[in-house]
Every structure is written in C-alpha cells, then in structure tokens.
Amino acid sequence: MPQVVRPRFAVLHGTHPAAPLPQRFRSLADRAAVEVLHRAARVLVASLPVLTDRLVDALYEQEPGYRAAIDADRAEVWQEVHHSLRHNVGSLIQPREFRDAAHRTSRWIGEIRAEQGVPLDAVLHAFRMGGAMVWQDLVDETARRDPDDVRLLVHVAADVWNFVDEHCGIVADAYRQAERRLSWRRENQQRLMVAALLDGTARIADVGEAAAMLGLPEQGRYAVLAVASVRSGGPQQPAPARPRVTLPTALSPDAAPHAAPAAGPDGPSYAAPATTLWHTGPDAAFAILRLAGGPGDPGDPGELHAIADALDAPAGTRAGIGSAVDGLAALGDARRLAETALRACPASGGTVVLDEHLPDALVVSSPALGSALADRVLGPLDRLDPSDRDVILETLTAWLDADGSAQRAGARLYCHRNTVLNRLRRFEQLTGRCLTRPRDAVEVSLALAARRLLGA
C-alpha cells in the first residue's frame, strides 16, 4: 500500500549524546496505540529474515558506500543488518530488555564500518533506510490487520523516529571515536616505521610495506636533513623537540617520482612540501627529503645546495644535509651522513651541505684524530700571547679562504698584503710548516677546521 506517514529524515551535523530510550509511550499515546505498535512489531520480528534480505538489497541499490562491502562479503553484512534489526525492533516491544543490547550493536556497527573505511554518511544513511523500512512495514502490517488502526500509529511516530535519530547519534559517536583510534594507530605506525628506516633497523622485507605506508617510492632518491638548536657552551645539549623549520623541498612525497625541480631565473627552485616526514631523536630532529631522479641517476648537482639556500629556520638553528642515497633501504646511511654534516655546522648556527664540506666532515668523523692533528700543527702557537695567537690564526684562515692570495686576505682583514705575508712567515717559523708545500697546506687546513669545529 502507499506510504501513509512520511518519515522524518533528520540530518545529524555533530555527535549527539545518546539520550535515554523513550519510555513514555503511555504518556504520549493511549494504550490502544501502544498495543497496535507492539502487535505490528511482533509480526516484523517473526519475518525478520525477509526484512533483512530486503534491506540488504536496498542498501546495495541505493547506497554506494555499502556496495563494495556487500560484494566482498554479503553474508557478513546480512548478519550485521539482521542483528541490528532484531535488537532495534525488539526495543519497540520491550525497551528495557533490549535497550543496552541495541546500543552495543549500534556502537559495534559504527566502529566496524570506520575500520572498513565505509563513509560515515553511508552508515547513517543505512540506519535511516532501515528506520524507514521498519516504519513502513509497521504501517503496512497495521493496515493489513485493521486499516482504522493506522491513525493510531501517528501518536507513536515521533517516538519511533526519535529512536532512529538516537541510534544514528550513537553510531556517529562510535564511528568518530574509532576514527581517532585508527588515526592515532596509523600515525604511531608511521612514526615507528620512519624511525626504523632512519635508524637503519628496518628489515629489507618491510621496506616495500614502508613505502606504501609513507607514500614514497621504494627506489627513489633521498637525502636526510638533521636539525638542532644552537649549542650553548660545550657539547650539544639534547633537544626535546625539533626547532621550527620551514622546509623548501626537493620533491614532496606527493610529487611525481621522476619530476624535475622547477627552473627559476637563478637556477632550480623548490616549493614547500605538502607533508614532510620527521623523526625526533635525543640530540636532533631528522627530515626525509625526497629528491628528483631515480636509482643511478645523479640528479641535479645543485639540488641539495638549493634546498639549503631556501631553508627557513630561526636564527641559531644548526642544520646539516647529508649526501643523496638511492632507495628507502639506504635512509639509515643518509641519516648518518646528515649527522656528520650537522657536526660540521658552526656552533653559532647555519646550514652545512655535506658534499660541500667533506674536509670538515673528515675532521668531525674522527674527533680524536682531528684534535691530535690540531695539537701537532697548531700547538706551538699556544705558547704565544692569546691575542698574538688569534691574529695569526685569523690571518692564516683568511689567506686559505682567499685561495692563497695575500692581497685578497689583506682586504678582508683591513691590512696591507705585506702584513699578511709577515704573519704567514711567522707562522711557518713557529710551526716548522711550509705553506707552499701541498702536504703542509692540507694539514694546516684540516688542523684549523679541527680547532674551529672541535675546539681543539
């Protein structure tokens, strides 16, 4: 027969606390209306398998969000629908006996559908479709038995639909709670996987799974950025959290695997990534940088330098960018290279690209040998007055930075070139080194780096 009472489809825009199941039928309608409802509901309970079949078929036809679940396991969806209908229709007859079981069932459905990724709108639509079908069957059954009794159902219509809305609220609340748990679990798994990759403890068999989880190509090119706060007197202090850093990027994890960086008027340029994978360690924070190109592809030699130039970090932040590596499995090596670059970073802050500071990296990679070299080469200067010693060291550094040009070193130090040459000769006399001898020049350069980086 045609629909007698139009169902009310309330749209839920938020989580509604589960209100107590209406227990006031007798205050809203007379005893006759309640008896009519109970009589029709008992018939529905007796024909529950048929009602379940009809609702599952309707979900398949009218709700795309359930279609994949029904195709995958129709029996499982059928049992879920049957279980829900049995408790909810039973609640219309015996509210006290079925109330808790009906609530548990609705919460379970909300949780399981969240885990399966069925959209919340689809789950709520399914509940309202079920409510509409149950209501229409109540009307049809009442009309079949005694058409005059249909008018009595109007008195309990509000209670029936309040019941449906109540369970929609329970489902929505359970769904969102499950979503939060799943989100936390995914984020935790992602953090653990990133940590394992950067520590080099991830199993080779797990790298493919890690690539899928992180949305990164297993065989891409990568580098690691290490970031720490400025050191304050002595060894680096543990950083409880990474400093605020705005990354440019090589390529974001969402970019095409072999896309090239955009070319600007001054060379390659890099836009900020949509997401960056970070791992915070006891002494520094590490970011995975996705680079252009693939395995065996050297990529753009200026790519890491461009990243360093575009890096936006607070004053005093120390950052080191390691050399590029091929594949996620090599991220452990990339992290160690980034840590080496960070150790080569000035104590006052700045950014060091490892590939551009390899001599400094040699020094910090073996602090004991670096200190021994500094003592052997520069130790004789420590017998001088500290101010005299510092002037000689400053002149020597400026001369090496000027590629051995006394003229340019003098301009940098605001003194005559002859003054520079006199200071260099004095250094040679005190240390027994000859700056025109390549071997001595290399040792002096490394010794200066050791004193600057290690405080030797």
Side-chain angles (χ1 to χ4, degrees):
M1 66 176 288
Q3 224 170 346
V4 176
V5 179
R6 188 173 203 163
R8 300 173 301 136
F9 290 90
V11 179
L12 300 180
H13 292 288
T15 300
H16 296 276
L21 187 67
Q23 297 289 333
R24 53 190 198 285
F25 284 137
R26 299 185 189 281
S27 64
L28 295 176
D30 56 25
R31 183 183 301 271
V34 175
E35 290 178 353
V36 167
L37 175 67
H38 287 182
R39 187 165 56 242
R42 291 190 189 97
V43 174
L44 263 62
V45 170
S47 59
L48 214 53
V50 176
L51 178 59
T52 303
D53 287 338
R54 289 167 50 215
L55 183 51
V56 172
D57 290 341
L59 287 174
Y60 190 84
E61 294 174 3
Q62 301 176 35
E63 181 44 68
Y66 265 78
R67 203 164 291 154
I70 295 173
D71 281 335
D73 193 344
R74 185 183 182 89
E76 187 269 338
V77 176
W78 192 97
Q79 288 294 337
E80 172 192 308
V81 172
H82 184 269
H83 201 59
S84 178
L85 288 173
R86 180 163 59 87
H87 287 99
N88 291 334
V89 175
S91 294
L92 298 178
I93 305 170
Q94 297 175 298
R96 292 184 180 180
E97 289 78 357
F98 283 91
R99 178 180 185 272
D100 290 342
H103 283 189
R104 285 195 300 270
T105 299
S106 294
R107 281 193 293 269
W108 174 77
I109 291 173
E111 292 172 357
I112 198 70
R113 290 305 172 208
E115 293 174 0
Q116 294 172 348
V118 177
L120 176 57
D121 286 346
V123 181
L124 296 178
H125 184 211
F127 263 76
R128 295 190 183 105
M129 286 176 63
M133 188 171 289
V134 167
W135 175 249
Q136 189 61 47
D137 281 9
L138 290 172
V139 173
D140 290 345
E141 173 57 28
T142 301
R144 185 190 65 79
R145 177 183 286 271
D146 188 347
D148 290 339
D149 287 343
V150 171
R151 59 181 177 79
L152 294 174
L153 290 180
V154 174
H155 296 287
V156 294
D159 293 282
V160 172
W161 283 101
N162 285 341
F163 177 85
V164 174
D165 285 349
E166 173 195 352
H167 279 262
C168 284
I170 292 172
V171 168
D173 184 60
Y175 187 101
R176 294 188 179 101
Q177 289 182 17
E179 268 193 327
R180 287 191 290 270
R181 289 195 300 270
L182 291 169
S183 177
W184 178 87
R185 192 181 306 160
R186 283 192 297 267
E187 290 172 2
N188 193 49
Q189 289 175 339
Q190 185 182 80
R191 282 194 296 268
L192 293 174
M193 188 61 74
V194 170
L197 288 171
L198 289 173
D199 290 343
T201 57
R203 299 181 304 174
I204 295 299
D206 294 335
V207 174
E209 179 184 350
M213 178 187 299
L214 303 177
L216 296 172
E218 184 177 351
Q219 298 302 326
R221 289 182 67 248
Y222 298 96
V224 170
L225 164 69
V227 182
S229 299
V230 64
R231 290 183 293 197
S232 54
Q236 180 172 320
Q237 301 300 316
R242 64 180 174 89
R244 177 183 57 81
V245 173
T246 302
L247 277 177
T249 187
L251 297 175
S252 74
D254 299 325
H258 302 292
D266 301 320
S269 61
Y270 298 88
T275 56
T276 302
L277 297 174
W278 284 92
H279 169 66
T280 301
D283 300 320
F286 302 90
I288 298 175
L289 302 177
R290 167 82 186 285
L291 306 179
D297 181 354
D300 179 3
E303 186 173 12
L304 295 177
H305 182 77
I307 295 173
D309 285 346
L311 188 65
D312 179 18
T317 299
R318 303 170 56 246
I321 301 176
S323 303
V325 298
D326 290 335
L328 285 177
L331 281 179
D333 294 333
R335 171 183 171 155
R336 287 185 282 275
L337 293 172
E339 288 176 320
T340 300
L342 184 63
R343 290 197 297 272
C345 190
S348 58
T351 301
V352 166
V353 178
L354 183 64
D355 290 350
E356 299 173 2
H357 295 79
L358 292 177
D360 290 352
L362 288 174
V363 170
V364 298
S365 294
S366 182
L369 291 179
S371 297
L373 179 63
D375 289 342
R376 178 171 178 173
V377 175
L378 304 177
L381 299 181
D382 292 333
R383 294 192 292 267
L384 299 176
D385 183 88
S387 60
D388 287 346
R389 178 197 62 203
D390 292 344
V391 167
I392 292 177
L393 290 176
E394 181 183 26
T395 302
L396 188 58
T397 300
W399 179 77
L400 289 171
D401 290 344
D403 297 326
S405 170
Q407 187 75 34
R408 291 202 301 274
R412 185 173 300 181
L413 297 172
Y414 301 101
C415 64
H416 195 274
R417 63 180 298 275
N418 290 340
T419 303
V420 173
L421 294 174
N422 288 335
R423 293 172 182 173
L424 296 178
R425 278 194 291 270
R426 188 181 180 198
F427 168 80
E428 291 178 326
Q429 292 167 358
L430 290 170
T431 61
R433 303 283 167 171
C434 178
L435 294 175
T436 57
R437 187 183 301 134
R439 180 189 180 93
D440 285 357
V442 170
E443 289 185 352
V444 169
S445 177
L446 292 175
L448 288 171
R451 178 156 291 196
R452 171 171 52 86
L453 296 170
L454 304 174

